[in-house]
Amino acid sequence: MKRSNILLSMLAIFMIMATMTAFAQEPVELRITWYDDGSEGAVLRDLLDQFEAENPDIRVVVDTVAYQVILEQLPVQVEAGEAPDMARVTDFAAYRGNYLDLTSLVEDPAYWEENFPAAVTEALRDGDEDTGLYGFPNQFTVSAPYINRTLFEQAGIEVPSDSSDEVTWAEWTEAATAVAEATETDYAIAVDRSGHRLAGPLFSQGAVLFNEDGTITVDTPGFRAMSQQLIDWHTNDVTPAEIWVGSGGTYAAGADYFINGQLVMYMSGSWQVGRFTNDIGDAFDWDVVPNPTGDGGSTGMPGGTVMVAFNQTEHPAEVARVMDYLASVDAMREFTERTLFIPGHLGLGELAFQSENPLAQAALADFASEVPKLSAQAYQLQYGGQAFAINNPIRDRLTQAITGELSLDEAIERIQQDIDDALAAAAAS
């Protein structure tokens, strides 16, 4: 072989080897589908930057989408075999059978079992025989009402919960309406267009969805009472119609009305603390008040988001390293303290929430005090695997009752049928 050919061959081999080495050094790219309530996406990015600095063989891309995309499009992607490597989800049951079992992949499975609530861990599993580890709660939430305390002060009207531990929804409605009228505020009271958000008031009023024999009954006096209260808010124009009527049939929040000082009382939850701290600033004083009391007690709804991994990933070992890192004490503490969330981790100890706003500190303490009051019905709804089959019909059919398309009797009948159909379909699949 001529010398020139030998040199060319050696050069070609060198180039191939160099290319292979370059490819070998390319980091594995993983993707997380994520949504934001406030600033938590920025905190996640900071944590992942720290992870990548220590793990240069992995690059994590965060695809931030609207919450509605998580609810409606992510399940379709997963079903079509196009799941991301990881995601932040709230509908735990929707993806059962598609989660990546991390048990043999994470450094210490016992750590995961011991440091996260069993109810959440079990909610991800597919039946009693399933013992897998599929994700962890990166935040815990509790629903309860916020009030614009400044408006109460301007109206010269006492905040009802300042002098009584048991205030009903009717009493709060009367007080908030009086404040709105005295201060010429646009609206008195609102609740997010969400079956989850309305469930706390429903249970407090005495609704009992879950029967001892495993059946579900919608039509109870408590359910009727709170549903009628919601309808009356709209009939009397004390709530923004845009939330329940003008949202195009999807989830809708009333946070902007509260932030803009257009709303006296707002039923939402602990995930709003960070946003209110940032967006309200010192415009007015706000506060969290106990969940109103009724025949079912004083209960909000538990909730939160879970970081999960999907078994469609091409890089299970790398995914497990990211999940292990995000679930660690140090990462969870930083995420919790900076985002102003109630922690989903049971072993973080005392937290130093990174807010100079005393209203935020007080709100987080108030939400924590609501946790012991959560009812068994509330836990069953959230973690029993039937939440969306129940919550969505309640949301959608009550909207039809608000608009007059259905009577309350008809709406309740349709809700029951929708739930029965959804659960039957799930059982048959």
Side-chain angles (χ1 to χ4, degrees), residues 127-270:
D128 294 337
E129 303 300 317
D130 188 350
T131 60
L133 295 174
Y134 303 114
F136 67 93
N138 61 354
Q139 70 176 87
F140 190 76
T141 63
V142 183
S143 62
Y146 293 86
I147 61 164
N148 184 323
R149 186 169 282 274
T150 295
L151 288 176
F152 274 89
E153 293 171 353
Q154 290 174 349
I157 295 174
E158 181 184 23
V159 174
S161 59
D162 286 354
S163 58
S164 175
D165 293 331
E166 297 185 356
V167 185
T168 66
W169 274 106
E171 290 168 335
W172 272 114
T173 300
E174 181 180 358
T177 301
V179 170
E181 292 175 350
T183 59
E184 298 184 350
T185 300
D186 293 340
Y187 301 106
I189 198 164
V191 58
D192 293 334
R193 187 179 188 273
S194 160
H196 175 278
R197 221 73 72 246
L198 189 62
L202 287 169
F203 290 139
S204 289
Q205 286 281 54
V208 179
L209 291 174
F210 303 99
N211 304 313
E212 292 184 2
D213 63 359
T215 60
I216 293 173
T217 301
V218 176
D219 193 359
T220 61
F223 189 96
R224 282 182 172 273
M226 191 63 220
S227 298
Q228 187 62 57
Q229 181 75 83
L230 177 66
I231 295 169
D232 290 346
W233 290 345
H234 288 82
T235 302
N236 297 328
D237 294 324
V238 299
T239 195
E242 291 79 5
I243 298 174
W244 278 77
V245 178
S247 59
T250 63
Y251 164 82
D256 287 342
Y257 291 95
F258 190 76
I259 290 169
N260 294 331
Q262 298 173 276
L263 186 60
V264 178
M265 185 175 188
Y266 173 42
M267 179 67 192
S268 191
S270 56

Side-chain angles (χ1 to χ4, degrees), residues 370-384:
E370 291 298 295
V371 174
K373 296 158 52 182
L374 295 172
S375 72
Q377 290 273 319
Y379 278 110
Q380 175 67 21
L381 176 59
Q382 183 64 16
Y383 297 117

Side-chain angles (χ1 to χ4, degrees), residues 16 33 68 111 122 151 154 163 169 175 201 217 225 233 247 274 279 295 315 318 341 387 396 412 424:
I16 292 172
T33 298
Q68 205 61 33
Y111 167 86
E122 292 166 3
L151 288 176
Q154 290 174 349
S163 58
W169 274 106
T217 301
W233 290 345
S247 59
D279 293 357
D295 291 341
H315 308 285
E318 288 80 4
F341 283 135
D396 296 339
I412 289 174

